[in-house]
Amino acid sequence: ATEEIDVPSIEAALRVYYDGSSSQEMRRDAMEYLRQCQTRVPGQYILESCLHSEMPEAWLFGIDTAVQSVEGGVADSAARLKMRHVLLAYISNRITSFATLPSYLSSKIATALAAIVKLDFPDYWPTAFCDLSSILSSEVEKEILLRFFAYLNDTIAHSELSNGWTPEERERGQSVKDAMKEEAIPTFLSLISTTITASPRLTETALFALKGFIEWIDISLVMEPNMLSLLFSICHARDADAAIASTGCLQEVITKKMHHNKKIAILSTLSLPSKLPFSEDARTQSLASIFCYGLIELVQSFEKALSCEAEKEYADSCFSMMEAYAARCMQYIGDDRMDVMAFGVEAIAYFVSKTKMMMGDERQDIVWTRVQAITTTCLARMVAPEGFTFDDEEEDEERFSSIRKELMAVLGNIGRLIPDYTKEQMLSLMKEFLQEGSSMLQLEAALYVCYHAGEIFRSEVEDLSGGFFHDCMVLIFKQAATYTASPTISMYFECVARYGTFFAYDLSSLPVLLGQFFSPYGMYHSEKKVRERVTYLFTRITKVKPICEGLTHYLRDITSHLMPVIDGDKKGDRLASKLSDQTKQSLFDAFSTIAVASLLRTHESGLSVDNVTGLVVSIIRTIASALEAPADTCEPWMLSGLLSSLCGVSRPFDRLVSSGNWRDIEDARSTIASSFYSTYPVVLSILSTYASSLNGDVDREAVQSKAFAYLHRLVDILEDQALPPLITAFPQLLQKVDVRGFLSCLVFFNQIVSKFKVNSAAFVKSIFFIVANRICNDVERLISNNSESPSSEVEREIREVRRTFGLFLYASAANEVLILLIQENHDVDTSLPPLFDCCLGRVGQVESGLQKTYCALITTLLSRPAVLQNTETGKWVQVKVFPFLYAVLSSRQFDELNAETLQVASEVGRAFYQIWRGCGALGQADVIGFLATLPIWSSELETTFTQIMDMGEPRRMRDTMRDLGRALQQSLK
């Protein structure tokens, strides 16, 4: 087989492949040739031939081919025997001549040997570890052997890597592991002791291998004095990488699973605080890690030892060590390196969470002292490292924000243990930092502590007439002029919003507070993020009733700031152009809330009803005027913002109407309502202009959405006055709107019918048949255009059209409006053209919620004398209603009854029963006649009724079903 291998050609292909100047095509051809070689020739022969080459890349190719052959299950035991002989000969005869070997090559040789041992030891290669331990004459050989042990340990000894193994592989892996304990470990530890200080490269390799073995070998082998001495000496070595690796080994020792008493004894023996002093170099992170996990292990062991009286000595020893570890971890919290700080915080957080269990009589004073020191340390760490700007895009700053949240959680736990001391320290920090001359970072830290203290002492936030939070707000409000940087501005206004009731007890501060909000450092800030947030926070404090009432005295000032907001929509250079539509809507909502409060208490606000009304009307008319701007000066996004403003102004008045309190401001009601009424034409005109969203234009869709939102409000505010303009506008609008806009129209119609009931008849008459035809056309178009495989979006649109129209019909029927149409047309089917043919389609495709709606519609219609007395109703029931109801009950949804399908069945039963009750009016003979022509009663239907009754439906429903069944059976006889 070796004669088939053309080594020079392999070498040539490898040169092309590794040559950076080769084209992609040349490299692809070279790789294809090498793959063909691996497919055509057994791996052991490629290995043997390539190891005779003088080219390192050929060696790598040969060894890699062997690994693939072994791990892929292609190489049998004979092939693997050949491979190991070739590899051992190569190591003994050729490797020894190299002073060093590239790490990738030594790793690949070790990987190949480990793959063979994993399969052949002990059955086919019982002397594996003895044979391998003989190749220790050079440093290169020792490195290969160390890497071999590390790789074998990773693939066999670590249980988490064996989850996907077959039972046979798991059994073989365990046998290798057991044999390694007897034969390999002594060899391995001997190798470690001779190489651990040989050279930096060997030292790191040896420590890496040792770290993997510590998890499962006998811990006493590592705790042997000479081994510990070596590990500690490397921890202090100049080579930081080796020191970090050695610390990692010690960390594996202290986190190794064992009985808690043994863990305490080992930690006592190690005495890490005295042997690993605090340092501020590259190894600090690894030291922070070992002390972090050490403290956690100690706390867990202490908790277990404390539960047993006989283990008091262990508990005392553990408690003493916890003190030393906690002191070290607190030092790491003060480090500016995020990774180091994180380890310290993690350990202290766990320590504090378990503090309560340490409160024994003899330990209490020590614990209190430690917890108080932790409080001071955590508060001091609230100040961000120098250079931080709190830009979320910076990784370190984002990490610090996360760590600071954990520190606040620590303070929260401490605050529940010693609340008075915690508040005292927080207030002390604020007094120290909230002064002229303090840095931005100190100011920000003080504000941050103040804000988050509200989460710790939540119960005290409600009453700010005095106490801790009152004192905090006095401090931060006094220094408000110093908050000029974005982080401090944002945090200050967050505090104002959280502790807004403070100003309810000091209303004289409101003018100053308003000035802060309406300033270049507040709502006019140059940064959008700050501007948006401050504006939102202003709207929040207006929801605090005492503050809202206090602000009524300054309504004129607030209005003066809102006018430029509207002008800015046209000019594009003021506050409005810098605020999102949602924020703008909230801002005008806040204004109107204050205005409503002013109207309700004009005798206290210092403004007359006419003055307040005039300010409200002025805002409404100014917005309406801006909306009337020519199309070339009013972009869709601008209209959307102005409509948001109108929605904001209208919301508090909408609430006033719905709560029935219009009468409380009777003097202003007609004037304000007239102002809203005056916006009707322009909004309806905009809606007509933007009836179609033009292929998903987001801005146009927003205009349409905001216009409908405002119309919903107008209907509630204007009441009966709202209908006449709609009767004129909507017939034309319905011809123009797209499917999305049409659905919005239907939702709007539902509101009108539900609100005005019979009084909406004229409006419904004006649009009903246009809506019906639009339904037919839209659904037919959607189905015909997507008949083969409709997309989920199309199916959703069809469902929405059917569902929303069903709700409209049901609202119209329940409120007698539809009955009036039927009386006028004398034909139910003509009055409801799209009811069954279009809106329901095939019953099996209609969701149960829609079926329930239409069944309820049928029941409602057939309970009205006007329908039952109609001569055409019997024909409509025969041709449309009965087939639909029967199809619903015969659909596959009833194969498995559940709460949803039972609701549908209940509505079907109600519809059937309503028909039967109306038989006298319809004509008994006619009903029996057309029932006889239909296969209404079948064994399947009877089974369905029986199942429904067996499900334990309410008695009334069971009786209805039973009576219905009897009636149908009797009529069919």
Side-chain angles (χ1 to χ4, degrees):
T2 52
E3 294 176 359
E4 300 176 16
I5 302 172
D6 185 355
V7 175
S9 295
I10 290 175
E11 291 175 342
L14 288 167
R15 287 191 190 92
V16 170
Y17 184 78
Y18 287 108
D19 187 351
S21 63
S22 299
S23 66
Q24 280 292 113
E25 186 176 358
M26 291 172 65
R27 296 180 78 244
R28 191 166 48 248
D29 291 343
M31 179 52 67
E32 181 59 31
Y33 171 76
L34 295 171
R35 286 202 187 99
Q36 289 177 3
C37 291
Q38 290 175 325
T39 304
R40 191 177 66 250
V41 183
Q44 65 270 27
Y45 298 118
I46 293 179
L47 173 67
E48 183 178 22
S49 298
C50 287
L51 289 182
H52 284 91
S53 170
E54 296 299 324
M55 183 180 177
E57 290 82 1
W59 305 341
L60 183 64
F61 173 71
I63 300 168
D64 190 53
T65 302
V67 172
Q68 292 180 36
S69 181
V70 173
E71 293 183 342
V74 177
D76 57 17
S77 58
R80 296 196 297 272
L81 175 64
K82 174 74 172 175
M83 288 178 188
R84 77 174 186 242
H85 285 317
V86 169
L87 284 169
L88 290 174
Y90 172 73
I91 293 170
S92 299
N93 299 329
R94 298 204 65 180
I95 291 296
T96 52
S97 62
F98 294 102
T100 60
L101 196 67
S103 59
Y104 67 84
L105 197 55
S106 60
S107 293
K108 189 60 71 175
I109 295 170
T111 301
L113 289 170
I116 295 170
V117 169
K118 178 181 170 183
L119 294 176
D120 287 0
F121 181 84
D123 297 335
Y124 299 103
W125 192 8
T127 60
F129 294 107
C130 181
D131 294 346
L132 290 169
S133 63
S134 65
I135 54 168
L136 292 171
S137 59
S138 70
E139 192 168 299
V140 173
E141 290 174 313
K142 290 176 182 178
E143 181 183 357
I144 291 172
L145 194 54
L146 285 169
R147 292 183 184 276
F148 158 77
F149 275 117
Y151 184 78
L152 187 63
N153 180 66
D154 281 343
T155 56
I156 291 177
H158 284 182
S159 57
E160 67 269 16
L161 298 179
S162 61
N163 290 334
W165 286 6
T166 64
E168 293 78 12
E169 288 174 324
R170 197 179 296 276
E171 183 180 354
R172 185 166 59 248
Q174 187 59 46
S175 67
V176 174
K177 189 174 173 180
D178 292 340
M180 286 174 69
K181 289 180 181 178
E182 297 178 9
E183 299 187 28
I185 298 305
T187 301
F188 171 70
L189 292 176
S190 174
L191 177 63
I192 290 288
S193 63
T194 59
T195 58
I196 203 165
T197 56
S199 68
R201 179 167 163 172
L202 266 186
T203 298
E204 287 181 50
T205 306
L207 291 169
F208 175 76
L210 177 61
K211 183 180 177 182
F213 275 83
I214 290 172
E215 180 187 330
W216 59 276
I217 64 173
D218 188 344
I219 193 64
S220 63
L221 297 173
V222 183
M223 293 298 294
E224 193 271 327
N226 291 335
M227 179 62 73
L228 286 180
S229 177
L230 282 171
L231 290 174
F232 280 121
S233 66
I234 296 171
C235 287
H236 297 290
R238 290 184 178 180
D239 185 349
D241 291 336
I244 291 169
S246 183
T247 307
C249 290
L250 291 171
Q251 184 170 313
E252 285 296 317
V253 171
I254 64 176
T255 56
K256 183 179 172 70
K257 292 180 181 178
M258 64 186 79
H259 190 274
H260 60 275
N261 288 349
K262 189 174 183 180
K263 176 70 63 75
I264 294 170
I266 284 176
L267 283 164
S268 178
T269 301
L270 289 174
S271 188
L272 295 181
S274 61
K275 293 180 180 176
L276 295 178
F278 183 81
S279 66
E280 295 186 355
D281 54 20
R283 69 196 80 192
T284 307
Q285 182 179 336
S286 64
L287 290 173
S289 175
I290 194 172
F291 279 98
C292 165
Y293 291 113
L295 180 56
I296 292 172
E297 292 288 338
L298 282 168
V299 173
Q300 291 172 345
S301 299
F302 177 75
E303 189 173 15
K304 293 172 183 175
L306 201 63
S307 63
C308 180
E309 185 63 32
E311 297 179 1
K312 184 178 182 302
E313 185 179 340
Y314 284 103
D316 290 341
S317 172
C318 191
F319 185 80
S320 299
M321 287 190 286
M322 284 189 332
E323 271 293 288
Y325 276 75
R328 178 63 67 86
C329 289
M330 286 167 61
Q331 285 183 282
Y332 293 127
I333 290 177
D335 198 293
D336 280 351
R337 286 165 290 187
M338 294 300 115
D339 290 331
V340 174
M341 191 192 308
F343 280 122
V345 173
E346 181 184 353
I348 291 299
Y350 188 79
F351 175 80
V352 170
S353 71
K354 300 290 184 177
T355 303
K356 204 166 184 179
M357 69 160 183
M358 306 176 197
M359 303 300 288
D361 291 339
E362 70 277 12
R363 305 186 187 96
Q364 183 161 315
D365 291 343
I366 300 173
V367 173
W368 281 137
T369 303
R370 176 57 58 198
V371 169
Q372 289 171 353
I374 290 171
T375 305
T376 306
T377 300
C378 290
L379 286 171
R381 184 66 278 180
M382 291 295 160
V383 182
E386 284 296 328
F388 272 43
T389 59
F390 296 94
D391 183 348
D392 291 339
E393 296 180 2
E394 292 290 336
E395 184 179 349
D396 273 356
E397 295 187 8
E398 190 174 351
R399 186 82 185 277
F400 176 74
S401 296
S402 175
I403 291 171
R404 195 159 60 163
K405 286 179 184 176
E406 293 180 40
L407 285 170
M408 285 305 305
V410 173
L411 288 170
N413 282 329
I414 295 173
R416 283 181 277 277
L417 286 172
I418 43 174
D420 291 341
Y421 179 80
T422 306
K423 286 186 279 189
E424 179 187 323
Q425 292 302 307
M426 286 180 170
L427 201 58
S428 174
L429 175 134
M430 282 184 256
K431 288 177 180 176
E432 179 186 350
F433 288 165
L434 293 173
Q435 297 182 20
E436 289 187 23
S438 295
S439 69
M440 181 275 286
L441 297 176
Q442 289 174 320
L443 292 171
E444 191 276 338
L447 292 166
Y448 182 91
V449 170
C450 179
Y451 177 79
H452 288 281
E455 296 165 7
I456 299 173
F457 308 109
R458 201 180 297 269
S459 61
E460 299 181 31
V461 175
E462 298 301 321
D463 182 10
L464 269 70
S465 58
F468 170 66
F469 286 111
H470 177 272
D471 295 342
C472 292
M473 285 302 295
V474 168
L475 281 171
I476 70 169
F477 188 65
K478 183 180 178 181
Q479 294 298 325
T482 63
Y483 314 140
T484 55
S486 297
T488 55
I489 290 169
S490 298
M491 194 53 66
Y492 168 67
F493 284 111
E494 293 286 354
C495 290
V496 166
R498 170 161 281 186
Y499 308 117
T501 53
F502 165 78
F503 298 97
Y505 298 101
D506 185 12
L507 293 177
S508 61
S509 301
L510 284 182
V512 179
L513 184 64
L514 269 180
Q516 292 168 353
F517 272 109
F518 290 104
S519 75
Y521 296 111
M523 291 160 64
Y524 290 91
H525 198 277
S526 58
E527 292 181 27
K528 181 180 179 181
K529 182 171 66 174
V530 177
R531 187 169 59 243
E532 287 274 339
R533 187 63 184 171
V534 172
T535 305
Y536 164 73
L537 293 172
F538 173 73
T539 67
R540 260 183 56 187
I541 67 163
T542 61
K543 292 179 173 62
V544 179
K545 189 175 179 181
I547 294 180
C548 179
E549 292 176 350
L551 289 173
T552 58
H553 297 276
Y554 311 102
L555 182 62
R556 187 178 285 110
D557 294 333
I558 295 170
T559 309
S560 70
H561 285 285
L562 290 180
M563 288 301 186
V565 171
I566 302 165
D567 291 340
D569 271 322
K570 291 185 290 185
K571 297 177 181 177
D573 59 356
R574 294 203 183 176
L575 178 60
S577 60
K578 300 173 182 177
L579 295 176
S580 68
D581 288 350
Q582 184 177 358
T583 305
K584 208 175 301 180
Q585 181 170 341
S586 298
L587 183 60
F588 281 93
D589 185 357
F591 159 76
S592 301
T593 300
I594 300 168
V596 168
S598 298
L599 288 168
L600 294 174
R601 54 194 301 275
T602 48
H603 60 288
E604 298 174 24
S605 65
L607 293 170
S608 68
V609 172
D610 291 341
N611 281 338
V612 177
T613 305
L615 292 172
V616 174
V617 169
S618 176
I619 288 285
I620 295 171
R621 288 180 177 171
T622 305
I623 298 172
S625 175
L627 282 167
E628 292 175 336
D632 57 346
T633 62
C634 227
E635 297 292 333
W637 63 267
M638 200 180 297
L639 289 175
S640 175
L642 291 166
L643 288 167
S644 291
S645 301
L646 273 181
C647 287
V649 175
S650 63
R651 178 163 23 201
F653 292 98
D654 180 17
R655 293 174 186 153
L656 201 64
V657 175
S658 61
S659 64
N661 290 331
W662 258 125
R663 61 182 179 276
D664 295 337
I665 55 167
E666 198 65 43
D667 294 341
R669 175 179 176 177
S670 59
T671 306
I672 293 173
S674 296
S675 296
F676 281 122
Y677 189 85
S678 68
T679 65
Y680 234 140
V682 65
V683 174
L684 288 171
S685 173
I686 289 170
L687 195 55
S688 178
T689 304
Y690 291 86
S692 174
S693 62
L694 296 181
N695 300 321
D697 187 318
V698 176
D699 288 332
R700 294 179 72 91
E701 286 183 9
V703 170
Q704 191 182 93
S705 172
K706 297 287 170 50
F708 271 112
Y710 181 59
L711 287 180
H712 280 284
R713 296 266 171 76
L714 282 185
V715 167
D716 280 338
I717 294 172
L718 300 178
E719 298 182 317
D720 292 344
Q721 296 178 56
L723 289 174
L726 300 179
I727 294 172
T728 304
F730 266 88
Q732 291 81 20
L733 182 63
L734 284 168
Q735 307 289 351
K736 300 171 67 176
V737 289
D738 56 13
V739 174
R740 193 182 299 258
F742 181 59
L743 288 172
S744 298
C745 287
L746 287 177
V747 174
F748 183 56
F749 298 160
N750 289 342
Q751 180 199 11
I752 291 173
V753 173
S754 299
K755 182 176 180 65
F756 298 112
K757 300 181 172 53
V758 176
N759 293 336
S760 67
F763 172 71
V764 174
K765 287 178 188 178
S766 71
I767 53 94
F768 186 83
F769 291 103
I770 301 173
V771 170
N773 291 329
R774 184 69 198 270
I775 289 276
C776 291
N777 293 335
D778 277 353
V779 175
E780 184 179 349
R781 174 182 55 78
L782 287 168
I783 293 174
S784 62
N785 291 348
N786 301 273
S787 56
E788 295 184 3
S789 57
S791 66
S792 58
E793 180 65 23
V794 170
E795 289 180 345
R796 189 189 65 78
E797 286 190 5
I798 293 172
R799 280 200 308 273
E800 279 298 298
V801 169
R802 289 170 171 166
R803 184 186 68 81
T804 313
F805 183 63
L807 293 172
F808 172 58
L809 287 175
Y810 179 67
S812 300
N815 292 296
E816 308 296 335
V817 179
L818 206 56
I819 310 303
L820 295 176
L821 287 176
I822 292 170
Q823 285 178 317
E824 290 184 9
N825 289 288
H826 308 294
D827 188 342
V828 182
D829 198 28
T830 303
S831 302
L832 309 175
L835 179 56
F836 292 100
D837 297 337
C838 185
C839 276
L840 290 173
R842 292 189 296 278
V843 173
Q845 294 181 339
V846 179
E847 58 188 20
S848 57
L850 188 57
Q851 291 175 359
K852 191 169 62 173
T853 298
Y854 278 89
C855 288
L857 170 62
I858 291 165
T859 304
T860 303
L861 285 175
L862 294 177
S863 67
R864 302 301 196 268
V867 177
L868 291 172
Q869 292 164 8
N870 191 302
T871 56
E872 295 293 323
T873 299
K875 180 181 177 182
W876 177 66
V877 171
Q878 180 183 16
V879 175
K880 297 288 180 67
V881 175
F882 263 119
F884 165 65
L885 296 176
Y886 180 65
V888 170
L889 279 178
S890 302
S891 61
R892 295 297 300 275
Q893 65 179 310
F894 292 102
D895 290 352
E896 182 180 348
L897 290 175
N898 53 44
E900 191 172 356
T901 55
L902 279 174
Q903 285 182 348
V904 176
S906 297
E907 288 297 341
V908 173
R910 290 178 191 277
F912 269 123
Y913 188 57
Q914 194 60 54
I915 294 169
W916 184 253
R917 282 184 61 192
C919 280
L922 292 171
Q924 184 83 22
D926 289 341
V927 173
I928 292 174
F930 69 69
L931 280 176
T933 65
L934 297 170
I936 291 296
W937 198 257
S938 64
S939 59
E940 292 85 0
L941 188 56
E942 186 172 12
T943 301
T944 299
F945 277 121
T946 304
Q947 285 179 308
I948 292 170
M949 287 187 282
D950 289 343
M951 288 292 287
E953 280 288 280
R955 180 177 178 181
R956 183 179 175 186
M957 194 64 246
R958 290 203 307 272
D959 292 344
T960 299
M961 291 291 192
R962 191 178 294 111
D963 292 343
L964 171 62
R966 288 171 183 163
L968 289 176
Q969 283 180 315
Q970 186 63 35
S971 66
L972 287 174
K973 286 179 181 178

